Amino acid sequence: MKYTLTILEADFERMRDFAFSKPGLEGAVFALCGVSRTENEHRLLVRHIMPLENAEYLVREPDFLSIDSSAYVRAAKQAKQDDLSVVFIHSHPGGLLMFSGQDDREEPKLQEFLHSRVPNRIHGSLVLTDTGVVGRVWVDGAFVPMSRVRVVGKRFAFHDEERQTGFLEYFDRQVRAFGQDVQTLFRSLHLGIVGAGGTGSALIEQAIRLGIGEISVFDGDTLDASNVNRVYGSSTNDEGQLKTTIAGKSSSDIALGTKLHEIPHHITNEEVAKRLRNCDVVFGCTDKEAPRGILVQLALRYLIPIIDMGVVIDSNDGQIRDVVGRVTTFYPVDACLFCRGRIS
C-alpha cells in the first residue's frame, strides 16, 4: 500500500506562506484532508488549510518549534466535525529535506493524540524547505513515508520519495532536451487515457514512446473497418478486436517498459470510473458528453488534472470546409467543460 498527498497549487503556496511567515524561523500550519482509498493507494486530498494563530506559537527558532496544545485541539476538533484527516506541516528554513531527530521524538505524541480525537482516519505530517516537500503518515503506531506529494495547478509538480531510472538509454534525445529528472518523472507517472480511437490511440503511442511508466486505457469499443486509417497500432486484421487489446499489443511490441492496463469498459460504469482514481493525470479522448461530464466530477472530487481533447472535421460535397482541434486542461479551481460550454 502506498500513501500520497495531493494539494492544489494555490493551497500549497498559502501553506508555504504560513510556514515561512517569519524568515529564518520555523513555522507551522495544518492541512485538513479527505482520503481516496483504492486497493493500491491511500491518497490524502487537501480540502482546507488551517494556519496557526500567533498566540499558539510558544517558541520559533531556526531549528526548533514549540506550539501550544490548543492548536492541536483546534485542528482535531475541526477535523472530527468535518470527518477529515489532519496533516501537520512545518518548515525547515535552510535545512535538510528530511524529518529531524527532534521531529521523530515529538511527532509520535501528536499522532497518537490525533488518532485518539479523530479515530479511523489517516493522519500525517510534512516538512517544507526552500526547495521541496517530504511527507509521512502514521499507520499502526509507526511512520510510513509518503511516496508522492502532488501539487496541481497551472503547473503540475510531483515530489517523490524515490524514482526508478530504467530504460534511459532509449531516451537520449529527450534527456538532452529536458534533463534526466524529467525523464525519470515520466517513468514514475501513471496516466489515464479515456478513449482509444483517433486521438486516444495517437496519445497512447506518443506516451509509450516518451517513456511514461504506467498507462490505464479505458474503452469498451471494438475496431471496425473504418477505424483502421486513424487508430494507431491497428491493422486490417484487427477488425472486431477490442481497442484496448490493440493498445496493449502496441505497448508490448514497442517494449519500452510501459505497464499498460487494458480496461475494456466505458467509464459510464461507476466501478470502472473509480479506477481513474489511481492516475496522476487523465486525458479525455472520447467524443461523447457523458464520459466528459464524469471526468469533470473526477477533477472536482479527487483533484486529478484532466486534459480533454477533441477534433471536428466539417466537410460538404467532398470538400473539407473546416478542421478544428481543441485541448482543454482543467483542475478544480479552473472553469470546467460545462462552464466553458464544451459540453451541455
Side-chain angles (χ1 to χ4, degrees):
M1 179 62 65
K2 62 181 180 180
Y3 298 88
T4 68
L5 180 141
T6 304
I7 183 171
L8 295 177
E9 187 178 45
D11 286 336
F12 185 72
E13 292 305 318
R14 288 182 63 235
M15 183 173 76
R16 288 186 60 84
D17 288 343
F18 291 127
F20 290 95
S21 60
K22 288 200 174 181
L25 302 180
E26 289 194 7
V29 62
F30 293 101
L32 303 186
C33 308
V35 181
S36 169
R37 293 179 176 86
T38 66
E39 61 183 15
N40 300 318
E41 179 183 359
H42 283 190
R43 186 178 299 199
L44 290 162
L45 307 170
V46 176
R47 301 299 189 192
H48 180 63
I49 299 296
M50 179 181 288
L52 271 68
E53 305 291 343
N54 288 332
E56 292 173 329
Y57 284 106
L58 300 178
V59 180
R60 295 185 73 173
E61 295 180 357
D63 57 357
F64 182 76
L65 187 69
S66 178
I67 297 170
D68 190 88
S69 60
S70 62
Y72 308 134
V73 172
R74 183 165 62 91
K77 181 178 180 180
Q78 188 67 49
K80 185 173 183 179
Q81 176 180 310
D82 296 338
D83 193 23
L84 297 173
S85 298
V86 180
V87 176
F88 173 68
I89 301 122
H90 73 285
S91 60
H92 283 178
L96 294 175
L97 187 58
M98 60 186 295
F99 291 91
S100 67
Q102 176 75 10
D103 298 334
D104 292 339
R105 288 188 295 272
E106 296 298 326
E107 284 193 10
K109 303 171 191 175
L110 169 60
Q111 296 298 327
E112 293 293 355
F113 168 79
L114 292 174
H115 278 272
S116 69
R117 291 297 184 93
V118 194
N120 304 316
R121 301 292 303 188
I122 299 170
H123 305 294
S125 57
L126 296 178
V127 164
L128 300 175
T129 68
D130 296 334
T131 58
V133 55
V134 63
R136 59 189 183 182
V137 294
W138 185 256
V139 180
D140 296 330
F143 280 117
V144 177
M146 289 185 190
S147 58
R148 168 163 287 176
V149 176
R150 304 174 185 85
V151 182
V152 176
K154 292 187 180 299
R155 295 177 68 90
F156 309 148
F158 300 89
H159 301 270
D160 293 341
E161 180 193 13
E162 59 181 356
R163 288 179 181 165
Q164 302 298 317
T165 59
F167 291 87
L168 281 177
E169 65 272 21
Y170 294 102
F171 305 108
D172 175 68
R173 300 298 175 88
Q174 290 170 207
V175 171
R176 291 190 202 183
F178 303 112
Q180 183 169 315
D181 286 348
V182 171
Q183 197 60 50
T184 54
L185 172 61
F186 285 170
R187 177 59 56 191
S188 74
L189 287 181
H190 184 172
L191 299 187
I193 299 177
V194 179
T199 54
S201 65
L203 177 60
I204 294 164
E205 175 98 4
Q206 292 167 357
I208 292 168
R209 295 188 186 277
L210 278 172
I212 298 298
E214 194 168 359
I215 302 173
S216 290
V217 180
F218 299 77
D219 197 320
D221 291 342
T222 57
L223 189 85
D224 63 43
S226 68
N227 299 149
V228 177
N229 69 337
R230 64 186 180 279
V231 173
Y232 282 61
S234 69
S235 72
T236 54
N237 296 322
D238 290 325
E239 187 174 356
Q241 283 273 8
L242 285 162
K243 291 180 181 178
T244 52
T245 300
I246 295 168
K249 180 179 181 301
S250 181
S251 178
S252 179
D253 289 344
I254 294 170
L256 281 174
T258 297
K259 184 178 182 180
L260 190 140
H261 305 282
E262 303 172 22
I263 305 170
H265 305 286
H266 297 299
I267 66 167
T268 45
N269 178 297
E270 183 178 355
E271 291 306 310
V272 174
K274 284 180 177 179
R275 297 184 65 175
L276 289 163
R277 296 178 300 164
N278 292 313
C279 302
D280 294 304
V281 180
V282 173
F283 288 82
C285 301
T286 173
D287 57 1
K288 296 178 175 64
E289 292 204 348
R292 283 189 164 120
I294 291 168
L295 293 181
V296 169
Q297 292 298 315
L298 180 77
L300 294 175
R301 292 170 184 260
Y302 298 105
L303 311 185
I304 298 174
I306 307 296
I307 301 174
D308 186 66
M309 299 189 292
V311 176
V312 174
I313 300 175
D314 182 20
S315 66
N316 186 36
D317 295 331
Q319 291 187 339
I320 292 179
R321 299 189 301 184
D322 205 7
V323 179
V324 179
R326 174 184 60 77
V327 178
T328 305
T329 302
F330 68 97
Y331 58 101
V333 299
D334 240 354
C336 72
L337 296 179
F338 293 101
C339 303
R340 300 183 198 195
R342 305 303 186 196
I343 56 178
S344 65

